[in-house]
Amino acid sequence: MDGTEEKLLAALAAAIGPAHVLTGAEADAYRHDWRGIMEGAALAVLRPGDTEEVAACVRLCAEAGIAIVPQGGNTGLCGGATPADGEIVLSLARLNRVRDLDSTDMTVIAEAGVTLHAAREAASAAGMDLPLSISSAGSAQIGGILATNAGGSLTLRHGNARALVLGLEVVLADGSIWNGLRRLRKDNTGYALAPLFVGSEGTLGIITAACLRLVPASAAVEVAFAAVPTPEAALALLGHLKRADEGALTAFEYISGHAFRMLLDQIDGTADPLPSPSPHYVLAECSATRPGPATREMLEAALASAMEAGIITDAVIAASDSQRAALWRLREDQAEAQRRAGENVKNDISVPISAIPSFLRQAETACTALMPGLRIVPFGHLGDGNIHFNVVEPEGADPALFEASADAIMHAVSEVARALGGSFSAEHGIGQLKTGLLASWRGGVELDLMRRLKAAIDPRGILNPGKVLD
């Protein structure tokens, strides 16, 4: 560490307190990603306690020309919060207050370090819901969720994280603070700035707080798990349930038979709720703000008619909160099951909903042509066209050989999505893992606009360099 770096760390310690400037072993947990595939030797980890301290840290780092990597719960899958050597990690974990919750405006103002679970609990205590659900809700934080524009299982009904944002508070690259925490549903006063920062992965500014839209809490929630013979049948079931009551359909999740059986093998306490295995499954949730049996009766009737039409081969509807949780676990623990099964390549693609059956078949063909024995285990948000087409190494294979093929597998899957009019990143973002794909997908005017925005808002390039834009 040279004299300039020592001087910077001393100034940072004076600004936020020595206990919140971590170096050495204390900083180790912040230096790698959740998957354990990326790591950087950060100069230090900063843990400011409020927005003003965040701004002070940014100003000092900007003056020293040291890059900053904002980090929330560090649950991302593309290395967007992982530092390069010599960069500074700025953790938002201590900004963990719910500043305001208004039941008339139906809004919550939460700081960046509030976990999604905590934000949803606060809304629930007031008889409302923050309609965003991801499997890492207990550790993922509001700032990181917005920075990556996370989606999740409720996107079908409520949209991605961006759709819930009414206003933001953001620290910019020079340490200035933009206070845009407005609770307005309509505000047509110039350029819409908040959407620029949502999904920018900390490359344009550091989100320190957000005003989010809430909805009334559901009084009736029903969850069904159905076996379907083909992906086309899964799509037919989606249309069938929409026709039965589109307003009630909250989530519609797909699980391949291979992915389902891998989960049963890897996750203790899981069980097949149906008597016979199926090549494909769907988990569907319907909800309503009005209590009573109407939602369940609608779902029962819709599934019965789907059975008569040959769309589904079997189904079960949860009869209690514990059964609902058990059915959702079959979907939410997919990523963990695949992690335990071996090295894997995660593909987060979206295609037009109608193209999902074609995508699943073509992507499997493309992958198995690269390496025989690959375990193809797709699952995801079929209701909004987002499939996590994950690929696990062959059993007994050389991990080094599989790792060497990872890029080819990712590119093969992405090319199938491209041919079908899709995207190679539906909800996980770009991070540093997928920057190489951006030029061929979003080149020309579109990529030029992104670069011009970055240069205008962060001219010195100190905010999360090497992420999104290479």
Side-chain angles (χ1 to χ4, degrees):
M1 185 182 303
D2 61 29
T4 300
E5 293 171 341
E6 290 179 352
K7 183 178 178 181
L8 172 61
L9 294 185
L12 290 166
I16 65 174
H20 301 299
V21 179
L22 310 182
T23 57
E26 289 184 316
D28 286 346
Y30 300 82
R31 290 172 170 165
H32 56 80
D33 72 324
W34 175 78
R35 297 171 64 189
I37 62 174
M38 298 180 184
E39 184 174 2
L43 176 63
V45 175
L46 311 180
R47 300 181 72 250
D50 56 32
T51 301
E52 289 70 26
E53 288 191 356
V54 173
C57 290
V58 173
R59 280 194 298 271
L60 289 167
C61 290
E63 291 168 1
I66 299 293
I68 300 168
V69 180
Q71 191 176 105
N74 201 21
T75 60
L77 299 176
C78 295
T82 306
D85 292 356
E87 295 178 342
I88 280 188
V89 172
L90 193 147
S91 168
L92 282 302
R94 292 180 62 218
L95 278 72
N96 58 5
R97 293 168 285 275
V98 174
R99 296 184 189 173
D100 180 74
L101 197 149
D102 193 297
S103 57
T104 301
D105 285 332
M106 300 196 73
T107 58
V108 61
I109 295 178
E111 293 183 340
V114 175
T115 66
L116 177 57
H117 176 76
R120 296 196 72 179
E121 287 289 297
S124 178
M128 294 175 286
D129 184 29
L130 175 58
L132 183 65
S133 178
I134 58 177
S135 58
S136 58
S139 50
Q141 298 170 9
I142 294 298
I145 286 169
L146 297 181
T148 54
N149 188 30
S153 57
L154 302 183
T155 298
L156 171 64
R157 184 162 172 180
H158 299 285
N160 282 6
R162 182 181 282 113
L164 304 177
V165 174
L166 295 176
L168 294 178
E169 177 184 83
V170 180
V171 174
L172 301 176
D174 61 357
S176 59
I177 301 171
W178 172 52
N179 186 350
L181 288 174
R182 306 181 185 104
R183 293 185 291 180
L184 303 174
R185 259 60 176 188
K186 291 183 176 180
D187 182 12
N188 198 14
T189 51
Y191 301 131
L193 298 178
L196 286 177
F197 298 101
V198 180
S200 71
E201 303 188 47
T203 62
L204 299 180
I206 300 173
I207 296 171
T208 51
C211 180
L212 304 174
R213 176 176 59 85
L214 303 177
V215 299
S218 297
V221 179
E222 303 294 343
V223 177
F225 191 76
V228 292
T230 63
E232 287 84 358
L235 276 189
L237 180 60
L238 174 63
H240 195 76
L241 292 178
K242 283 186 173 182
R243 287 187 292 273
D245 189 347
E246 183 172 17
L249 188 59
T250 308
F252 194 89
E253 300 288 304
Y254 166 79
I255 307 171
S256 74
H258 293 304
F260 183 64
R261 286 184 284 280
M262 181 174 287
L263 175 130
L264 297 181
D265 289 341
Q266 297 293 334
I267 304 296
D268 292 339
T270 58
D272 191 341
L274 301 175
S276 302
S278 172
H280 308 275
Y281 297 90
V282 164
L283 184 148
E285 179 182 281
C286 295
S287 63
T289 56
R290 179 182 299 177
T295 303
R296 186 178 185 88
E297 291 170 354
M298 177 277 296
L299 184 56
E300 288 175 343
L303 292 175
S305 60
M307 182 86 75
E308 292 175 3
I311 295 173
I312 65 175
T313 57
D314 204 353
V316 62
I317 302 177
S320 65
D321 289 344
S322 61
Q323 288 184 12
R324 281 194 289 273
L327 291 182
W328 265 112
R329 190 182 182 197
L330 301 176
R331 163 60 182 85
E332 298 291 3
D333 281 359
Q334 285 292 321
E336 177 61 21
Q338 293 169 15
R339 186 184 69 83
R340 295 182 185 183
E343 296 296 325
N344 58 86
V345 176
K346 296 185 180 297
N347 296 285
D348 169 46
I349 67 90
S350 64
V351 293
I353 297 171
S354 60
I356 286 176
S358 294
F359 168 78
L360 290 171
R361 292 189 176 95
Q362 291 180 37
E364 181 169 358
T365 298
C367 288
T368 53
L370 291 171
M371 180 180 290
L374 289 175
R375 289 176 282 174
I376 312 297
V377 284
F379 66 96
H381 317 298
L382 187 148
D384 57 54
N386 175 200
I387 296 294
H388 301 304
F389 194 87
N390 294 352
V391 180
V392 180
E393 64 182 335
E395 292 186 271
D398 179 359
L401 181 62
F402 177 75
E403 184 178 349
S405 303
D407 282 347
I409 292 170
M410 186 170 66
H411 280 275
V413 173
S414 297
E415 286 307 308
V416 174
R418 188 205 298 266
L420 294 170
S423 170
F424 69 90
S425 179
E427 63 177 4
H428 291 168
I430 305 297
Q432 58 183 295
L433 181 65
K434 299 183 178 182
T435 55
L437 291 170
L438 200 60
S440 65
W441 280 73
R442 300 289 182 255
V445 172
E446 190 170 358
L447 184 57
D448 183 54
L449 282 172
M450 294 185 202
R451 294 193 185 281
R452 287 157 71 181
L453 278 170
K454 171 69 171 176
I457 298 174
D458 179 19
R460 299 184 66 184
I462 70 160
L463 293 180
N464 220 6
K467 316 298 169 45
V468 182
L469 302 173
D470 57 18

